[in-house]
Amino acid sequence: MQFLEKSPRFFFFTGKGGVGKTSLACAAAIRLADEGKRVLLVSTDPASNVGHVFGATIGNRITPITAVPRLSALEIDPQAAAQAYRDRLIEPVRGELPDEVVKGIEESLSGACTTEIAAFDEFTALLTDESLTADFDHILFDTAPTGHTIRLLQLPGAWSGFLEAGKGDASCLGPLAGLEKQRNQYQAAVDALADPMRTRLVLVARPQQSTLREVARTREEFAALGLSQQYLVINGVLPPQEAQQDSLAAAIHERENAALAAMPSALDALPCDRLPLKPFNLIGLDALRQMLTDCPAQDPQATDSREALPEIGQATLAHLVDEIAVDGHGLVMLMGKGGVGKTTMAAAIAVELAQRGLPVHLTTSDPAAHLSETLDGVLPNLTVGRIDPSAETERYRQHVLTTKGAALDDQGRALLEEDLRSPCTEEIAVFQAFSRTIREASKKFVVMDTAPTGHTLLLLDATGAYHREIARQLGNTGMHFSTPMMQLQDPRQTKVLLVTLAETTPVLEAVNLQNDLRRANIEPWAWIINNSVAASHPESPLLLQRAHHEVSQIEQVATRHAQRYALVPLLEEEPIGPERLMALTGHTAAHLDEAGAASEVGVSTKTSSTE
């Protein structure tokens, strides 16, 4: 493996969600530990599943992996880090200031920006504080999906610049005087990240056009941040011999070859490793140790691939769309782990609704959005948008400067501009755009492709913080009020669809997300199991073995986790463009005509009752 040769102190594994970053980071950590090195594996992903991969409880402390001598792991828990951060800032003033003032400070520290900077404090400490990491030869970071990771790595420079300017307050961070103490640590983190002798970036991709384009953009963005030591790993390449077994395997092999042949030129100069697709899930030590070997894979939980697949439910995406269409309007949010196909599912649902003559706005809150690439065309009744953090932040800045800043003198305006340079400004701006999008759903369908799980939960944190503040201010006045969180909690207005794959880790991730949503009084409406090999009835031995592994996960979703669900098969052709997207719903032409007529009745009835 080229990416492990002459190993530096720090490794970062990054790439689009779902490409196998966690599995690769775990496998690399095991390989280095087996070679006698002392290794610390760190997850900076708000939706970490490192503990599940190892079958161990890890959490927010350095924990030895008992089954692998010399290997320890740590999952940075953003919520625990944020609580410790808040306690550190608030305890000195508790009792010194009026309770109402302290409560206001606590509320200002409840947002997503505080959560992110608190987790970042722990992250930078691992890069710079030798007392924490002196016992380890290598530290491997399993990072969050690309958009979140870029924000994380930009923070050292961003906060250093903010502190340089700095007089005044940063509301979600506490007084800048407290942050001054972090200046040296942030600068040391920047230096460590940019040092090719200490840090190596491992870009992980799948042999797919979308993930290769994404990783090419990531390569350039990280190079601009000074991370020049980069390696490429293409994970999950279907072995060519499988292409001779059936049409599905042949189509996948042809698609992968075309994607690799057209790989972006930005990746050509990088050292590259290609890892074959395994017939089993990469969970547990036996499976992980096989990930980086060239030997034929031996399934630790093998079943006879010649056995017929048991019958599985055929609940189609069309049935979910039939129920959604009856209301005539509403917010449909697709959530889940990165790489499970939320963008494709959102586009398929939006296209299906638009084909029925219903007005639809398809949008995304994912910083690494690919809606236009998936849709590949325009349709009547369908508009496509995006919540762009940079554009929304600039719009918010200009609005504040032209309203609040209009009456200020030069000194006051300079202080306002300084305050607007805080990274907290982006949190506010994106939340406002999110709120505007939610309000649209009272008149049309808004189908939202959300960012990977951790980033989405941070956005919901901001929504919840806003709701709590409004409730605090108006709760005793008797005034009626409505917040975006209240709309998300109302199943008549919002339907949350959890997207997953029929694999252990994505299903567990979706279960955890469902539990998080329920704690916020948001009840998921349905699950979508995407790209199911079992539903495609393969004949290739490798794909058939993977199909057998899927069955138990499908049964768990159907019987334990979901109120309703849809099973979407892996298709021979990539679902790009309206016609292929509609094929995902499983509709026949007759069914589509019948459902369209039914939905039109629903719409006219809705309109009639409104009139």
Side-chain angles (χ1 to χ4, degrees):
M1 293 292 112
Q2 296 182 71
F3 79 93
L4 285 175
E5 294 174 0
K6 298 179 181 178
S7 299
R9 181 89 192 281
F10 301 115
F11 283 87
F12 280 84
F13 294 83
T14 192
K16 182 177 169 65
V19 295
K21 295 185 300 292
T22 297
S23 298
L24 184 61
C26 292
I30 293 169
R31 168 72 68 88
L32 290 169
D34 286 347
E35 292 174 354
K37 304 295 177 61
R38 297 165 303 169
V39 182
L40 175 62
L41 176 63
V42 181
S43 173
T44 64
D45 191 336
S48 173
N49 64 335
V50 168
H52 176 66
V53 170
F54 280 114
T57 300
I58 297 172
N60 197 34
R61 68 192 188 287
I62 294 176
T63 304
I65 303 299
T66 54
V68 185
R70 296 174 295 279
L71 175 61
S72 297
L74 165 67
E75 293 174 322
I76 294 178
D77 181 344
Q79 299 304 323
Q83 187 57 52
Y85 186 90
R86 284 190 288 268
D87 291 344
R88 199 161 64 243
L89 291 177
I90 292 171
E91 287 308 315
V93 301
R94 199 182 298 278
E96 302 293 326
L97 296 175
D99 290 345
E100 194 64 27
V101 174
V102 173
K103 187 178 294 186
I105 295 173
E106 288 177 328
E107 192 60 44
S108 72
L109 291 169
S110 66
C113 192
T114 301
T115 302
E116 188 169 23
I117 194 63
F120 171 68
D121 273 349
E122 296 199 15
F123 161 78
T124 54
L126 293 169
L127 284 172
T128 60
D129 189 345
E130 277 295 323
S131 67
L132 294 176
T133 58
D135 292 338
F136 301 102
D137 301 307
H138 302 288
I139 302 173
L140 282 64
F141 291 91
D142 167 34
T143 66
T146 306
H148 187 88
T149 300
I150 290 172
R151 276 182 49 78
L152 189 65
L153 293 182
Q154 283 175 329
L155 280 173
W159 288 118
S160 294
F162 187 57
L163 293 176
E164 279 302 333
K167 301 189 194 264
D169 287 337
S171 60
C172 70
L173 304 174
L176 282 175
L179 290 178
E180 287 285 350
K181 300 174 183 177
Q182 304 296 91
R183 181 192 300 271
N184 292 337
Q185 180 171 309
Y186 291 166
Q187 187 56 53
V190 173
D191 294 341
L193 292 171
D195 185 349
M197 301 303 293
R198 286 190 283 168
T199 300
R200 178 172 297 172
L201 184 71
V202 181
L203 302 166
V204 188
R206 291 275 185 159
Q208 301 162 350
Q209 289 184 1
S210 61
T211 64
L212 289 168
R213 283 195 298 267
E214 173 72 17
V215 87
R217 284 191 289 266
T218 304
R219 180 231 188 298
E220 293 172 349
E221 288 167 334
F222 278 121
L225 292 172
L227 277 77
S228 57
Q229 181 75 276
Q230 300 185 10
Y231 284 67
L232 175 65
V233 176
I234 300 175
N235 187 32
V237 181
L238 186 71
Q241 62 269 24
E242 298 296 325
Q244 303 167 14
Q245 307 296 324
D246 68 5
S247 60
L248 177 62
I252 293 171
H253 179 64
E254 183 179 346
R255 205 157 66 206
E256 291 181 351
N257 278 349
L260 293 171
M263 192 159 59
S265 58
L267 303 176
D268 288 343
L270 296 183
C272 180
D273 294 302
R274 297 186 183 185
L275 303 180
L277 181 69
K278 303 298 183 186
F280 46 82
N281 293 329
L282 291 162
I283 302 293
L285 295 180
D286 290 341
L288 288 168
R289 281 197 165 99
Q290 295 188 62
M291 187 176 186
L292 303 180
T293 65
D294 295 326
C295 302
Q298 300 296 317
D299 190 343
Q301 298 177 321
T303 58
D304 188 346
S305 63
R306 294 169 297 181
E307 288 182 11
L309 281 170
E311 288 296 320
I312 54 176
Q314 290 297 321
T316 67
L317 191 59
H319 291 97
L320 294 188
V321 178
D322 288 346
E323 286 193 65
I324 292 169
V326 169
D327 291 334
H329 66 86
L331 177 64
V332 181
M333 292 185 72
L334 289 95
M335 298 185 184
K337 179 179 171 66
V340 296
K342 295 185 300 297
T343 300
T344 301
M345 292 297 100
I349 290 169
V351 166
E352 180 80 14
L353 290 169
Q355 287 281 22
R356 298 169 184 228
L358 298 165
V360 183
H361 178 195
L362 173 63
T363 187
T364 181
S365 64
D366 189 344
H370 303 286
L371 276 180
S372 59
E373 296 169 5
T374 302
L375 198 57
D376 191 30
V378 295
L379 281 175
N381 308 313
L382 178 63
T383 59
V384 179
R386 178 188 172 205
I387 298 175
D388 182 332
S390 297
E392 295 300 337
T393 301
E394 184 57 31
R395 178 192 300 181
Y396 175 76
R397 283 193 183 114
Q398 292 305 318
H399 174 73
V400 173
L401 288 171
T402 55
T403 53
K404 185 177 178 181
L408 297 177
D409 58 20
D410 290 345
Q411 183 179 6
R413 189 176 176 87
L415 288 172
L416 178 61
E417 289 178 343
E418 176 189 304
D419 189 53
L420 289 172
R421 286 197 295 272
S422 163
C424 319
T425 302
E426 181 179 311
E427 176 192 330
I428 298 168
V430 170
F431 167 70
Q432 289 192 351
F434 180 60
S435 300
R436 287 195 301 270
T437 300
I438 288 177
R439 286 196 295 271
E440 278 189 70
S442 63
K443 299 177 181 178
K444 63 174 69 171
F445 279 109
V446 175
V447 181
M448 178 176 282
D449 161 39
T450 65
T453 305
H455 193 95
T456 299
L457 290 178
L458 291 178
L459 182 58
L460 291 179
D461 276 350
T463 311
Y466 175 79
H467 171 78
R468 291 190 297 274
E469 179 62 17
I470 294 297
R472 185 174 69 85
Q473 293 179 12
L474 300 180
N476 297 325
T477 66
M479 294 176 61
H480 173 76
F481 64 92
S482 177
T483 67
M485 179 59 80
M486 293 166 70
Q487 181 164 343
L488 295 179
Q489 293 169 337
D490 185 349
R492 296 169 300 178
Q493 300 184 69
T494 301
K495 290 181 171 60
V496 173
L497 280 61
L498 302 185
V499 185
T500 186
L501 304 176
E503 298 173 10
T504 307
T505 300
V507 169
L508 178 65
E509 177 91 11
V511 170
N512 291 337
L513 174 57
Q514 179 160 267
N515 292 337
D516 285 332
L517 291 169
R518 284 173 172 169
R519 280 191 287 273
N521 293 319
I522 299 172
E523 181 63 33
W525 183 74
W527 285 48
I528 299 174
I529 305 171
N530 189 29
N531 280 343
S532 170
V533 179
S536 301
H537 306 291
E539 296 178 8
S540 150
L542 187 149
L543 295 183
L544 193 55
Q545 190 67 59
R546 291 187 68 86
H548 276 284
H549 281 292
E550 286 188 356
V551 172
S552 63
Q553 298 301 320
I554 295 170
E555 289 177 348
Q556 282 192 41
V557 171
T559 61
R560 294 176 53 189
H561 303 313
Q563 295 184 37
R564 55 178 68 76
Y565 78 101
L567 186 64
V568 179
L570 176 63
L571 302 181
E572 292 187 10
E573 294 183 302
E574 269 196 285
I576 294 175
E579 290 186 10
R580 293 182 188 174
L581 287 168
M582 288 186 66
L584 291 171
T585 64
H587 266 148
T588 64
H591 188 157
L592 183 58
D593 291 341
E594 179 184 335
S599 70
E600 286 175 10
V601 171
V603 172
S604 60
T605 301
K606 194 85 171 179
T607 304
S608 174
S609 64
T610 303
E611 294 172 351

